[in-house]
Amino acid sequence: MNTILDVKDLHVSFKTYGGEVQAVRGVSFTVKKGETVAIVGESGCGKSVTAQSIMKLIPNPPGKITSGSILFKGRDLTKISEKEMRKIRGSDISMIFQDPMTSLNPTLTIGDQITEAILQHEPVVTKKEAQFRACEMLGEVGIANPKERLKQFPHQFSGGMRQRIMIAMALVCNPSILIADEPTTALDVTIQAQIIDLFKKIQRNTGVAIIMITHDLGVVAKLADRINVMYAGKVVESGTTSEIFYNPQHPYTKGLLNCVPRLDLERGQPLIPIPGSPPDLFAPPIGCAYSSRCEFAMEVCDAYQPGRTLVAEGHEVNCWLQDQRAKQVKFHLREKTYS
Amino acid sequence: MLKYIGKRFISMMITIWVIVTLTFFLMHAIPGSPFNQERNTNDTVRKNLEAHYHLDENLFVQYGIYLKSLLQFDFGPSIKQSSTSVNELLSRGFPISFELGSVALLFSIVSGIALGIFAALRHNGVIDYGAMTLAVIGISVPNFIMATLLIQVVAVDLKLLPVATWASYKHMILPALALSMSPLAIIARLTRSSMLEVLTQDYIRTARAKGLSPFKIVVKHALRNALLPVITILGTLVAAVLTGSFVIEKIFAIPGMGQYFVSSINDRDYPVIMGTTVFYSTLLIFLLFLVDIAYGIIDPRIKLHKKEGE
């Protein structure tokens, strides 16, 4: 498989009156053709900013990519002009957002909103052809009577259907990457499952690579090939989905896993929340950002950034516990063993 | 849709009837009569005059007579200018007032919206501050001051345009400009603030994520949503332009309807008071109705009528 997106040491900050917020502090990850990569983390960890930076959609000012590179099929997106970027947006890389209720324009028909992406990027296509493709795409994402539905307005659809429309809109130009920023967060659980299945079906049919941004490990378990766990603007652990779920190395990853309700455990077991709150990114800590919340924190954690350790093939973690000199800890996971 | 229009028509009729009734009785409650000011009328002459205009009858009988003639679209004769009817006064004055008012309104809508959009797009920039300074001036300077200033500077000092009266298109520019300043400023401010709000909406981000050009995003996605509050106030702005035009017409000596409106009250010229009031209120109610229709066209979420099965 060949890499189509390679994000290297990405730094993004926002200038505010209070100072500079370093929302993303050196994120690196890759996406290969046709795979699903998840970026997981709690609110404010920089995952959405990372996603929007790839599309160069962060509001500028105040946001700015301060360093790093985003290589898409060999081109560095941080260096190309806005005009060039517009050609990539919606045709090569497209994005869907968290809240389908507000992400569609209430005054335009959905047909209008889907076809305008086609007409923008493929000027040779006639309006009729575009409508035909929009119609097909709506059928693809599971909307009945697509022909009539094209003439309707967003308020005539439910939340789940609107998210399907957003997906149709994002895929109608056959992009090679689809960025989904918390696509299921605003939906109720049964609809979440349907949307996740829809992503899988679409990926099978079109081979699009998906970057799934979420705080919900339950969502990515079914969907992702690889997971990047983000904390305070950095990727703290990355690996294949099974490695992350069955062999988590970072205390934060473990903490996240303990927050997910499980059906295979005894009933009545409480979920274990992560105590404390993420650090202030106006002045990020010198050492490991998680040290103040970490139950295994050592002196070194406050003073120095942990390096990257390769745990297994493709499984990397940034944690001082991986150091030879560190004490051996046993994670108190919410079940007896991960086997 | 037809059903809705029908319903609205009935309620418009009722509103107009209420206005007619209120104006009629309020007008007669004011002390004095059309013949009071003329010193030399003796009793017999006055009685004859009153009988001629049915003013000697019971107020309710008069009201009945008036309603009856109104239903035939007859506003009655003017008491002061005894050779002309109110209908003639209206058809003479209204085209002029209409021309002035619509030019002023059109100018204020087009340039107000344009100014608001540019200010929003250059938020906190020089254009924004400049436009908003202009808007504050436009709102706070009354139009009769603006009118005299324009006359002084443009007409008297620079001699670019005629000072007053109503003859050619050149004569129209200054009064229209003076009349349009405050609606223009209100529209510009409102467009700016609602545009700023719309530009932060999620669907604008969606439009950007599709790779649309900034021009398309503003015109197709933002403007339509941003104009809703502007359309809401258009109805009341029309009223402001109409009442503003009374003063402006006076200053520029324009033979529009404004002169009759003001002088008729001083003269207790009952049919003219009624005629102008009914005419203006009907116009305003009709414009508000148009605004409601425009609403439904611009925002599909606003349903004017219910479809079957919904």
Side-chain angles (χ1 to χ4, degrees):
Chain A
M1 282 206 288
N2 44 345
T3 304
I4 48 172
L5 186 76
D6 189 359
V7 178
K8 278 186 198 149
D9 198 31
L10 183 72
H11 286 73
V12 183
S13 14
F14 290 85
K15 280 208 169 69
T16 65
Y17 290 113
E20 198 174 294
V21 182
Q22 299 171 32
V24 174
R25 307 182 296 143
V27 164
S28 306
F29 67 94
T30 57
V31 179
K32 296 191 182 91
K33 209 174 168 185
E35 72 169 347
T36 303
V37 174
I39 300 177
V40 180
E42 66 196 296
S43 302
C45 72
K47 51 191 196 298
S48 285
V49 174
T50 306
Q52 290 183 23
S53 301
I54 298 169
M55 291 283 271
K56 286 177 80 180
L57 279 178
I58 46 167
N60 177 18
K64 200 172 180 258
I65 297 174
T66 48
S67 67
S69 63
I70 301 165
L71 294 172
F72 171 69
K73 292 181 175 167
R75 281 166 90 195
D76 189 350
L77 299 186
T78 60
K79 297 209 166 61
I80 66 174
S81 70
E82 171 67 19
K83 209 176 163 188
E84 289 289 299
M85 195 62 219
R86 276 212 295 274
K87 284 186 192 150
I88 293 177
R89 277 187 207 132
S91 78
D92 290 316
I93 308 177
S94 47
M95 186 163 182
I96 56 180
F97 301 96
Q98 176 170 352
D99 192 350
M101 305 308 275
T102 56
S103 292
L104 288 164
N105 192 328
T107 56
L108 297 173
T109 63
I110 59 150
D112 231 359
Q113 298 189 55
I114 297 174
T115 51
E116 72 177 347
I118 308 174
L119 298 172
Q120 176 76 24
H121 295 292
E122 297 161 48
V124 284
V125 176
T126 64
K127 221 169 177 175
K128 219 168 176 185
E129 283 169 2
Q131 243 151 17
F132 179 74
R133 268 170 65 181
C135 199
E136 263 192 333
M137 203 66 230
L138 273 191
E140 186 86 358
V141 297
I143 288 189
N145 293 327
K147 214 165 175 186
E148 278 83 69
R149 290 300 224 169
L150 277 179
K151 291 178 205 127
Q152 294 188 330
F153 291 95
H155 69 275
Q156 289 161 301
F157 293 85
S158 69
M161 286 172 103
R162 287 190 211 185
Q163 197 60 291
R164 287 170 191 269
I165 292 165
M166 287 295 292
I167 294 170
M169 204 150 86
L171 292 173
V172 79
C173 289
N174 296 315
S176 36
I177 301 178
L178 172 67
I179 303 173
D181 189 357
E182 306 243 9
T184 58
T185 308
L187 305 172
D188 64 53
V189 198
T190 48
I191 306 295
Q192 273 189 20
Q194 291 175 12
I195 295 288
I196 291 168
D197 287 341
L198 177 61
F199 274 118
K200 283 205 271 191
K201 180 187 140 199
I202 276 163
Q203 193 165 44
R204 253 199 328 271
N205 294 350
T206 65
V208 64
I210 299 176
I211 301 176
M212 179 72 67
I213 316 279
T214 182
H215 64 264
D216 187 351
L217 278 167
V219 169
V220 297
K222 278 177 86 179
L223 204 59
D225 298 309
R226 288 185 297 121
I227 298 176
N228 294 288
V229 180
M230 266 188 87
Y231 185 76
K234 280 173 182 282
V235 174
V236 292
E237 185 166 8
S238 62
T240 59
T241 304
S242 58
E243 278 284 327
I244 296 288
F245 273 88
Y246 297 121
N247 185 24
Q249 291 299 314
H250 200 283
Y252 179 61
T253 312
K254 187 212 70 180
L256 283 181
L257 286 167
N258 275 342
C259 299
V260 182
R262 299 181 59 118
L263 288 174
D264 56 343
L265 294 186
E266 247 177 84
R267 277 172 162 238
Q269 283 204 43
L271 296 175
I272 308 164
I274 303 171
S277 50
D280 185 1
L281 292 177
F282 276 117
I286 310 158
C288 171
Y290 190 60
S291 64
S292 61
R293 298 168 82 183
C294 179
E295 55 182 313
F296 310 109
M298 303 170 286
E299 269 175 46
V300 65
C301 297
D302 288 327
Y304 298 99
Q305 294 273 354
R308 186 143 264 242
T309 315
L310 191 69
V311 181
E313 174 67 31
H315 183 183
E316 292 180 325
V317 63
N318 288 32
C319 181
W320 280 115
L321 289 176
Q322 299 297 322
D323 197 279
Q324 295 289 317
R325 291 156 288 177
K327 59 188 171 184
Q328 291 299 304
V329 295
K330 242 194 144 132
F331 287 163
H332 305 291
L333 291 161
R334 215 154 38 81
E335 62 192 311
K336 285 136 210 157
T337 49
Y338 273 122
S339 58
Chain B
M1 194 67 184
L2 271 177
K3 205 176 162 192
Y4 171 77
I5 292 176
K7 262 188 186 165
R8 273 301 295 262
F9 186 74
I10 293 168
S11 80
M12 277 156 73
M13 285 298 120
I14 294 171
T15 315
I16 291 169
W17 172 73
V18 171
I19 290 170
V20 169
T21 311
L22 279 177
T23 318
F24 188 86
F25 288 105
L26 278 175
M27 178 178 83
H28 282 279
I30 307 172
S33 89
F35 313 111
N36 271 359
Q37 288 122 330
E38 290 170 37
R39 276 161 292 165
N40 297 333
T41 37
N42 63 34
D43 275 2
T44 336
V45 173
R46 208 183 61 213
K47 280 226 170 79
N48 278 337
L49 279 170
E50 280 180 351
H52 178 73
Y53 293 111
H54 303 289
L55 291 175
D56 52 348
E57 312 243 17
N58 178 302
L59 199 55
F60 289 95
V61 177
Q62 288 185 40
Y63 174 65
I65 292 168
Y66 187 76
L67 275 190
K68 204 176 141 197
S69 65
L70 196 61
L71 282 177
Q72 296 156 348
F73 298 103
D74 179 11
F75 289 112
S78 166
I79 296 177
K80 281 283 138 158
Q81 305 176 40
S82 41
S83 56
T84 43
S85 70
V86 178
N87 290 44
E88 279 168 7
L89 287 183
L90 291 179
S91 58
R92 209 186 300 149
F94 179 66
I96 297 171
S97 291
F98 178 77
E99 214 178 335
L100 173 64
S102 37
V103 167
L105 205 62
L106 204 70
F107 176 70
S108 58
I109 291 171
V110 172
S111 31
I113 288 174
L115 207 62
I117 293 173
F118 282 119
L121 292 181
R122 298 277 175 273
H123 184 40
N124 288 337
V126 181
I127 296 179
D128 187 17
Y129 289 128
M132 286 309 108
T133 312
L134 268 180
V136 170
I137 293 172
I139 288 175
S140 39
V141 176
N143 57 20
F144 54 89
I145 306 254
M146 188 64 81
T148 38
L149 267 175
L150 284 174
I151 291 174
Q152 181 64 41
V153 176
V154 182
V156 178
D157 293 347
L158 299 175
K159 295 193 171 41
L160 288 176
L161 291 166
V163 172
T165 70
W166 193 253
S168 67
Y169 285 104
K170 269 186 170 177
H171 291 77
M172 204 191 281
I173 297 174
L174 285 187
L177 209 59
L179 194 54
S180 63
M181 277 330 262
S182 100
L184 189 155
I186 294 170
I187 291 173
R189 282 174 62 99
L190 198 66
T191 308
R192 172 183 175 268
S193 62
S194 88
M195 195 76 188
L196 281 178
E197 198 197 309
V198 167
L199 285 175
T200 62
Q201 294 289 320
D202 286 349
Y203 54 79
I204 298 297
R205 189 179 56 186
T206 309
R208 287 183 64 207
K210 270 187 239 174
L212 299 184
S213 65
F215 178 78
K216 256 196 183 151
I217 291 172
V218 168
V219 172
K220 196 172 170 192
H221 285 267
L223 194 57
R224 219 172 151 151
N225 290 287
L227 282 187
L228 274 179
V230 178
I231 286 167
T232 314
I233 62 151
L234 269 191
T236 30
L237 277 188
V238 172
V241 168
L242 288 180
T243 43
S245 71
F246 301 159
V247 183
I248 295 295
E249 282 176 12
K250 191 111 194 155
I251 293 174
F252 286 93
I254 295 166
M257 268 176 79
Q259 46 174 336
Y260 305 124
F261 207 96
V262 180
S263 62
S264 66
I265 295 171
N266 287 330
D267 295 341
R268 307 283 185 277
D269 194 344
Y270 293 146
V272 180
I273 297 179
M274 288 304 296
T276 44
T277 311
V278 171
F279 185 77
Y280 268 132
S281 44
T282 310
L283 187 70
L284 193 61
I285 288 167
F286 181 68
L287 286 171
L288 290 176
F289 168 68
L290 286 188
V291 165
D292 281 353
I293 300 263
Y295 240 74
I297 292 170
I298 288 194
D299 191 343
R301 284 169 300 180
I302 299 167
K303 273 259 164 68
L304 298 177
H305 55 104
K306 274 196 179 146
K307 270 189 203 154
E308 281 163 55
E310 267 187 27

